Amino acid sequence: MSKSAATIRASRPASGFVGGVSHRYAKSDEGRNVPQGKRFGMKQLMALCLALLAAVALPAATQAQGGPLRIEITEGTIEPMAYAVPDFVAETPGASQYAQQLARVVADDLTGTGLFREIPREAHISRVTSFEAPVQFTDWRTVNALVLLTGSVAEQGGRITVKFRVWDVFAGTELGQGMQFAATADGWRRLAHKVADQVYMRLTGESGYFDSRVVFVSESGPKDKRAKRLAIMDYDGANVQYLTDSRSIVLAPRFSPNGDRVLYTSYQTGEPRVHILNVGSVQSQILPNASGVMSFAPRFSPDGSKVVYSVTTGSNTDIYLMDIAGGAPRQLTFTPSIDTAPSFSPDGSRIVFESDRSGAQQLYIMPVGGGEPTRISFGQGRYGTPVWSPRGDLIAFTKQLSGRFHIGVMRTDGSEERLLTASPLDEGPTWAPNGRVIMFSRETLGAQGTSSLYSVDVAGRKLTRVRTPDGGSDPAWGPLQ
Amino acid sequence: MRRSFAISAGAHALVILWALVGNVFRPDPPEFEVSAVSVISEADFAALSEAAQAPTVQPDIVAPTQAPEPAPAPTRDPAPASESAPEPTPIPTPEPEPAPEPDPAPEPIPDPAPQPVPEPQPVPDPLPPAVEEVPQVLAPETAPRPKPRPATRVAADPVAAPEPDVAEAEEAQTAADPETESAEIVAETQEATAPPETATEIVTEADEPASAPAASVRPKTRPRDVAQQPAAATPDRTAPETPDAPAPAQPAEAGDAVASAIAEALAGGSAPTQAATPSGPPLTRGERDALRVAVQRCWLVDVGSEAANVTVTVSMDMDQGGRVVSSSLRLVNSSGGTGSAAETAFQAARRAILRCQGDTGYALPPEKYEQWKRIEMTFNPDEMRLR
């Protein structure tokens, strides 16, 4: 009988009740004169026990019978995905100079996201010598590459053509289809960015941000006599071009949604005024509004037809909205406090801004038609320069807390605040077109302090300095081209 | 009449007495634990204590007493034609607008002066090994705790950074030392490997050292049901003996079930009452966990992506060797995202399944093949997003 108890225990180890009781009455069962009632009770009890046992064992048993084995996996690994990019195959003699450069720019783009990790070329076992030849998946599995990118480049009459394919190494299949891009030879970097954007999209299911440009304030010279110019560059700091000269101070440039115009604040007339500049013709003009006031912190609406900005009169700053084609500006906030740094939600229905109406700077959201704002930031410290993510899910901000500055993100209801950086002075976040990366400026302290541009992904894992020829501040990311 | 009344009263009294004294209404009588221990046979007890004390550390392999089996050298297959012959895919030629805008640059562009990107500030030592320490219940109130250690890999189990000259592998192993090996042993060099450095959460630049908790968690007691715990590590001794013990008994036939249980008990419990089903017993929790852990190690989650909102269920067929039939992998179900996000989530799941089977397939018990010849795996990233 004790064996029976042991059997039951082994089959249902968690059910101590079954094992204990049956063993207990197993002893009394050995007695000679067991009263009838007691025997009956015991029998009932055992039946009850077995019924319970059956009830517990039944679901497991039915699952075991027939049907697939079901496993749920909830714990994964957060780790950059390993990929390999061998040098592209040069199909014409003139293309050989680009074959390696293109692969390097693509690899820099992908690795810079923090989502991917390149398998160094020294580790590669097989060489790709022909774009059309079958891929030796075993060789790439051996070096633990999950994804392989192969490409070829041809040059003819000053035009270069790039073809590429993306392979899932472990599945042994191609991701998407082969593709090709063509451009003039001096646009080869854009070709590489286009390829990287395609690879990014196939691996993440989201659009990339590599073929995009950033407008920023280029800074040179010592801190007390710094020359500031508007400049535009590729997102990775290449191809810097200057849009203004350094005669007047410029601040806070902002791209229009399609990237053809730039709003910025200039002290050209002696006091801050919002200017609008055509990127193609490099012509700028003062945005027509009420004369004689200080206006700054402009930003386009998502459809590009309106501009939201702040105006200071006396010690009061309020937010205004105006049609870019002209017309009277409309005042959106009416408090005696400083309301500034407005930024549209991507659907154009709401505006997030900073205000010190509660005492310290905090973030608020209001409907675009005006109305009562809702405060969303409640943490310690001061919050400023909010920017709504292009995906609409997050708001990036600058936070000042105990003498340090942070770039952080929070959900649009203020929850899940997450600080991504920390330094003596970080400010001015701007979103990449796909809402996965934030660029900002970081200034070092002291008389020799300089300002430079950095980028960080929304998880806060990959902090990278953007290499610009001079110092830089106030970046604003343009759209994907 | 009176006699029957007396019998009835007596029987009632007995039943009430039995109910009161016999702990019927108390599911956890104090003396239960004693009796439970007494039924475990000596052999079982030995097996259990062996399981409980089974070391998790790998045995020291500095001086092996047997020649290690030659590991299969990584072969450079000449790529089977079936998997490597890509159909010549038509290349669509979307011509992007190639001409950049007219160069408005009024000034020459100096070369970008590459400057080293400042490394994140060095971090104090990795987390101290918690295992070896004498457990203490009270912790100092204000002891500084080391700052969380940033690592490129974030997973459930933290792993300290390996030695710089140690190759990366999923399992840690010590290098074979040729000097300590005896002469008759075929010297096979084994390189030291270690799993990649892993942190348990994402550490950003802004993360600060947290102060110590007011009290530390008590060390866990030894699990009560040791038999169930490391089933993957120790062979389950009782399961083969009684393969149909958990067979469902219908409540309606409880009386018969009692009878058969008693009969089985009298017969020694060793004779199976039914012929074993061809499917074999269901996988133990340990076996299922082993499979789960094997796959989750390779499941890369991009927490910021839309795909991290999608739960996908993938079905697959397995061959008898524990390898996935890759053509059978397909998306059964997905919830929580757009089509492209679901496709990306499926690709990540497929990659995890195919990659972590390695060359040898998953370690699944061959005698239970019927139980796992089809597997449906659900990948749920909800908890990952909170890291």
Side-chain angles (χ1 to χ4, degrees):
Chain A
M1 195 63 200
S2 67
K3 192 98 184 204
S4 158
T7 305
I8 295 173
R9 270 193 69 77
S11 59
R12 280 293 313 151
S15 173
F17 185 65
V18 172
V21 170
S22 54
H23 178 73
R24 179 181 169 80
Y25 285 94
K27 274 185 198 161
S28 64
D29 205 15
E30 287 157 11
R32 294 178 306 277
N33 295 320
V34 183
Q36 192 67 34
K38 190 164 183 178
R39 177 179 278 279
F40 180 68
M42 185 203 72
K43 208 166 182 178
Q44 259 191 335
L45 194 68
M46 280 200 71
L48 185 73
C49 294
L50 284 168
L52 272 174
L53 172 71
V56 177
L58 201 58
T62 46
Q63 196 197 346
Q65 304 292 322
L69 174 65
R70 292 196 168 82
I71 304 268
E72 179 166 31
I73 294 181
T74 57
E75 285 284 345
T77 305
I78 303 172
E79 186 183 31
M81 188 193 293
Y83 70 97
V85 185
D87 287 349
F88 286 9
V89 179
E91 291 184 333
T92 59
S96 55
Q97 57 168 319
Y98 299 111
Q100 187 188 353
Q101 287 174 320
L102 281 165
R104 287 304 89 210
V105 172
V106 172
D108 288 346
D109 283 351
L110 294 175
T111 306
T113 62
L115 301 176
F116 309 105
R117 170 175 66 92
E118 191 188 6
I119 303 286
R121 282 179 297 170
E122 307 83 63
H124 295 182
I125 294 176
S126 63
R127 303 270 165 225
V128 176
T129 50
S130 160
F131 181 62
E132 303 298 338
V135 173
Q136 310 291 319
F137 288 115
T138 327
D139 288 351
W140 298 105
R141 269 176 217 149
T142 307
V143 297
N144 276 323
L146 302 183
V147 173
L148 172 70
L149 171 67
T150 58
S152 75
V153 54
E155 190 266 346
Q156 196 168 29
R159 285 180 69 80
I160 50 178
T161 307
V162 175
K163 298 182 203 166
F164 71 95
R165 291 181 194 278
V166 189
W167 305 93
D168 186 323
V169 171
F170 278 83
T173 56
E174 185 173 2
L175 291 170
Q177 283 196 318
M179 222 180 204
Q180 79 174 39
F181 292 113
T184 51
D186 55 357
W188 68 270
R189 285 189 72 91
R190 277 199 68 187
L191 277 183
H193 290 321
K194 284 239 176 259
V195 172
D197 275 327
Q198 278 295 324
V199 177
Y200 184 94
M201 191 162 79
R202 292 175 192 193
L203 297 182
T204 66
E206 299 168 18
S207 65
Y209 58 87
F210 308 120
D211 187 23
S212 63
R213 297 197 290 178
V214 172
V215 61
F216 67 105
V217 176
S218 172
E219 301 188 359
S220 52
K223 215 169 194 174
D224 54 347
K225 201 178 149 189
R226 186 159 289 171
K228 296 192 174 191
R229 292 176 288 175
L230 275 196
I232 199 167
M233 65 177 186
D234 292 355
Y235 96 98
D236 58 359
N239 293 329
V240 174
Q241 300 164 358
Y242 296 95
L243 301 177
T244 65
D245 56 32
S246 56
R247 277 178 298 187
S248 54
I249 292 176
V250 288
L251 288 176
R254 304 284 176 241
F255 260 122
S256 65
N258 61 9
D260 60 344
R261 289 162 298 170
V262 170
L263 283 170
Y264 64 100
T265 307
S266 170
Y267 282 75
Q268 199 172 3
T269 60
E271 57 187 12
R273 298 297 297 272
V274 173
H275 287 58
I276 186 165
L277 177 142
N278 188 311
V279 176
S281 63
V282 209
Q283 297 295 313
S284 76
Q285 62 180 77
I286 295 179
L287 200 66
N289 62 353
S291 60
V293 296
M294 306 207 299
S295 59
F296 55 98
R299 209 181 276 274
F300 279 100
S301 65
D303 62 2
S305 68
K306 297 187 180 67
V307 176
V308 64
Y309 59 98
S310 1
V311 172
T312 297
T313 45
S315 65
N316 178 25
T317 302
D318 281 313
I319 294 173
Y320 286 74
L321 178 71
M322 72 171 288
D323 206 293
I324 201 123
R330 189 150 64 88
Q331 188 172 353
L332 297 182
T333 64
F334 299 90
T335 58
S337 54
I338 295 177
D339 301 332
T340 185
S343 168
F344 274 97
S345 65
D347 63 359
S349 68
R350 289 181 292 172
I351 291 173
V352 62
F353 63 99
E354 66 172 73
S355 169
D356 63 355
R357 61 185 69 194
S358 67
Q361 281 172 33
Q362 297 289 346
L363 305 185
Y364 294 79
I365 290 180
M366 66 178 170
V368 75
E372 195 54 38
T374 314
R375 177 170 164 182
I376 60 165
S377 65
F378 292 94
Q380 292 183 326
R382 295 197 285 177
Y383 295 79
T385 63
V387 192
W388 214 304
S389 148
R391 272 165 51 167
D393 55 344
L394 296 173
I395 288 171
F397 55 85
T398 307
K399 179 172 181 172
Q400 196 182 348
L401 178 65
S402 345
R404 294 209 298 178
F405 281 75
H406 305 276
I407 301 295
V409 293
M410 60 170 66
R411 299 219 163 261
T412 54
D413 59 2
S415 64
E416 294 183 33
E417 177 179 324
R418 183 183 184 88
L419 299 182
L420 308 178
T421 73
S423 92
L425 185 51
D426 283 353
E427 61 181 355
T430 179
W431 287 96
N434 69 353
R436 290 297 300 268
V437 178
I438 294 169
M439 196 179 285
F440 61 98
S441 53
R442 170 170 288 185
E443 195 160 337
T444 51
L445 296 178
Q448 301 302 313
T450 56
S451 182
S452 39
L453 302 182
Y454 281 76
S455 70
V456 66
D457 70 303
V458 283
R461 286 159 58 79
K462 184 83 178 178
L463 181 68
T464 317
R465 180 168 169 191
V466 183
R467 295 178 176 181
T468 51
D470 295 318
S473 64
D474 273 346
W477 215 312
L480 192 64
Q481 299 183 61
Chain B
M1 181 70 182
R2 196 178 158 148
R3 196 171 143 222
S4 58
F5 178 77
I7 290 174
S8 170
H12 273 90
L14 267 176
V15 168
I16 291 169
L17 196 68
W18 167 69
L20 288 178
V21 181
N23 289 329
V24 169
F25 299 113
R26 271 186 280 162
D28 198 7
E31 65 268 39
F32 148 65
E33 288 202 331
V34 179
S35 61
V37 171
S38 71
V39 300
I40 296 179
S41 75
E42 196 177 338
D44 281 347
F45 179 76
L48 295 184
S49 44
E50 185 189 348
Q53 292 160 6
T56 53
V57 196
Q58 288 229 335
D60 195 349
I61 47 170
V62 169
T65 52
Q66 297 176 0
E69 284 184 27
T75 47
R76 298 182 55 177
D77 288 358
S82 61
E83 74 169 359
S84 57
E87 308 81 21
T89 351
I91 295 188
T93 60
E95 288 254 341
E97 67 286 27
E101 276 82 4
D103 186 357
E107 297 175 37
I109 305 158
D111 274 338
Q115 284 182 286
V117 179
E119 290 287 315
Q121 67 264 47
V123 174
D125 270 343
L127 295 172
V131 196
E132 304 293 331
E133 305 246 343
V134 180
Q136 292 190 343
V137 178
L138 290 177
E141 289 284 337
T142 56
R145 206 165 55 172
K147 180 175 174 176
R149 173 174 50 88
T152 52
R153 183 181 162 105
V154 178
D157 304 313
V159 176
E163 297 288 322
D165 57 344
V166 166
E168 204 167 87
E170 292 297 347
E171 301 295 336
Q173 62 184 20
T174 340
D177 188 352
E179 296 194 356
T180 57
E181 287 181 48
S182 55
E184 64 266 26
I185 290 172
V186 182
E188 172 157 344
T189 52
Q190 171 175 286
E191 289 187 357
T193 61
E197 181 187 11
T198 307
T200 55
E201 58 190 316
I202 293 175
V203 179
T204 70
E205 191 189 41
D207 282 322
E208 298 229 40
S211 57
S216 63
V217 182
R218 259 180 196 283
K220 282 183 187 169
T221 53
R222 178 183 289 184
R224 191 169 294 170
D225 288 309
V226 196
Q228 204 177 16
Q229 276 270 316
T234 56
D236 192 345
R237 299 197 179 188
T238 48
E241 272 186 11
T242 59
D244 27 2
Q250 294 300 323
E253 301 164 5
D256 294 346
V258 173
S260 67
I262 293 172
E264 186 192 331
L266 292 176
S270 56
T273 52
Q274 297 173 356
T277 52
S279 59
L283 265 64
T284 64
R285 187 186 291 180
E287 287 159 349
R288 297 164 62 100
D289 279 354
L291 175 61
R292 188 173 52 75
V293 168
V295 175
Q296 76 185 19
R297 223 169 38 195
C298 288
W299 182 36
L300 304 188
V301 182
D302 172 12
V303 283
S305 70
E306 288 168 31
N309 298 319
V310 183
T311 297
V312 290
T313 302
V314 180
S315 89
M316 68 196 98
D317 294 338
M318 308 288 290
D319 68 16
Q320 300 237 15
R323 292 186 59 86
V324 178
V325 182
S326 22
S327 59
S328 70
L329 271 169
R330 61 191 179 82
L331 180 64
V332 178
N333 190 19
S334 76
S335 62
T338 61
S340 75
E343 175 63 25
T344 306
F346 168 62
Q347 280 175 15
R350 180 178 68 182
R351 217 171 276 133
I353 293 165
L354 292 175
R355 180 175 152 222
C356 261
Q357 67 179 346
D359 295 328
T360 54
Y362 290 108
L364 289 159
E367 71 277 8
K368 301 179 182 175
Y369 173 62
E370 286 295 318
Q371 296 285 351
W372 49 261
K373 69 177 180 184
R374 270 199 68 221
I375 301 181
E376 273 190 18
M377 243 179 232
T378 301
F379 292 79
N380 183 345
D382 284 350
E383 291 172 24
M384 298 293 296
R385 287 203 307 273
L386 303 176
R387 283 176 186 274

